[in-house]
């Protein structure tokens, strides 16, 4: 179990935390681990947290592992306070590493989360969140394990340039040049509960 124990009434959750804890969050995963504060099967609904009790939820490379992402979003919406934040990072559909993962049920395009969560649409009949941030990322937004330092010296500057260019017009990037740079790894989306 994690060595940074806090209150049993968390205000911030890091769901599907695995080996990537967030210091200020209660780190939750389906399996025990060194950095996991609590083991919870998040495929069983409803979740244990009370309605309108959480201030922020992180799901970093976790949503794609659920067979029913709609149920996960509905639970996040239920347990978040009004004005609470939901930050999701998911794999981009151009990433061959993401498509090739047996544990992934789907990948995402730049507009997927904004389209489904920040306006009335067929999946959710009402707007659930105001989009606060959205970014297409060429490389991962967190440190990458098992990559030689010399290679990071090349990847990090390339990531800054390609990520900047992609976010000038993500739709043009996705439709015209995403595959010429080996695809993009992830999308960050953050929304505020309405």
């Amino acid at each position: 179990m994690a060595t940074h124990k806090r209150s049993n009434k968390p205000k911030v959750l890091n769901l599907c935390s695995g080996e990537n804890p967030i210091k200020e969050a209660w780190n939750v995963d389906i399996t025990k681990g060194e950095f996991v504060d609590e083991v919870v099967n998040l495929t069983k609904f409803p979740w244990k947290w009370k309605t309108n009790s959480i201030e922020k939820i992180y799901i970093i490379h976790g949503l794609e592992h659920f067979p029913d992402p709609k149920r996960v979003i509905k639970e996040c919406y239920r347990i978040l306070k009004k004005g609470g934040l939901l930050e999701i990072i998911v794999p981009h559909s151009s990433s061959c590493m993401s498509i090739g993962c047996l544990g992934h049920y789907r990948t995402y395009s730049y507009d997927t989360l904004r389209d489904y969560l920040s306006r009335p649409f067929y999946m959710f009949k009402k707007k659930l969140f105001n989009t606060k941030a959205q970014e297409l990322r060429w490389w991962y937004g967190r440190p990458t394990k098992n990559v030689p330092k010399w290679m990071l010296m090349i990847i990090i500057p390339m990531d800054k340039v390609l990520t900047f260019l992609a976010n000038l017009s993500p739709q043009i990037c996705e439709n015209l040049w995403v595959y010429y740079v080996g695809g993009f790894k992830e999308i960050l989306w953050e929304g505020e509960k309405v």
Side-chain angles (χ1 to χ4, degrees):
M1 288 296 189
T3 58
H4 56 282
K5 292 293 181 206
R6 291 166 305 281
S7 165
N8 285 333
K9 293 185 179 180
K11 294 182 180 183
V12 178
L13 296 175
N14 178 21
L15 304 180
C16 308
S17 63
E19 295 181 6
N20 299 300
I22 296 174
K23 190 175 183 178
E24 71 273 7
W26 188 252
N27 297 287
V28 177
D29 204 85
I30 196 165
T31 56
K32 290 182 182 179
E34 179 183 356
F35 304 108
V36 175
D37 294 310
E38 185 174 10
V39 174
V40 177
N41 184 348
L42 296 170
T43 63
K44 303 288 185 200
F45 303 99
W47 293 342
K48 63 179 272 173
W49 299 283
K50 293 181 181 175
T51 301
N52 301 319
S53 65
I54 303 297
E55 293 174 4
K56 183 165 186 174
I57 299 172
Y58 295 91
I59 307 177
I60 301 172
H61 286 282
L63 189 62
E64 66 273 15
H65 293 276
F66 288 95
D68 189 354
K70 181 179 179 181
R71 288 288 306 268
V72 173
I73 297 297
K74 286 173 80 172
E75 276 300 284
C76 289
Y77 183 82
R78 180 185 69 78
I79 66 174
L80 276 171
K81 295 178 178 179
K82 184 173 180 168
L85 298 174
L86 174 60
E87 182 176 309
I88 299 174
I89 299 177
V90 289
H92 188 259
S93 58
S94 66
S95 171
C96 66
M97 289 173 22
S98 294
I99 293 169
C101 180
L102 288 175
H104 289 186
Y105 285 92
R106 63 171 299 136
T107 58
Y108 296 79
S109 72
Y110 177 79
D111 287 324
T112 302
L113 295 170
R114 185 185 64 195
D115 283 352
Y116 284 86
L117 304 182
S118 292
R119 66 183 179 109
F121 208 36
Y122 77 92
M123 189 174 282
F124 298 105
K125 301 299 182 208
K126 66 176 188 169
K127 177 180 180 175
L128 302 179
F129 296 90
N130 288 318
T131 296
K132 301 306 262 180
Q134 188 168 338
E135 182 179 57
L136 182 57
R137 293 175 170 171
W138 181 71
W139 198 252
Y140 298 105
R142 63 188 190 285
T144 305
K145 297 175 184 174
N146 303 323
V147 176
K149 289 185 181 183
W150 68 267
M151 192 177 260
L152 286 175
M153 293 174 66
I154 297 168
I155 290 171
I156 292 171
M158 282 182 64
D159 174 54
K160 290 186 185 308
V161 170
L162 292 173
T163 296
F164 171 77
L165 292 173
N167 286 289
L168 291 175
S169 178
Q171 293 80 10
I172 289 175
C173 172
E174 285 182 326
N175 288 300
L176 292 179
W177 60 272
V178 68
Y179 296 104
Y180 292 108
V181 296
F184 278 67
K185 299 290 184 249
E186 63 187 19
I187 303 149
L188 172 137
W189 177 87
E190 183 179 61
E192 178 182 40
K193 180 180 174 179
V194 294

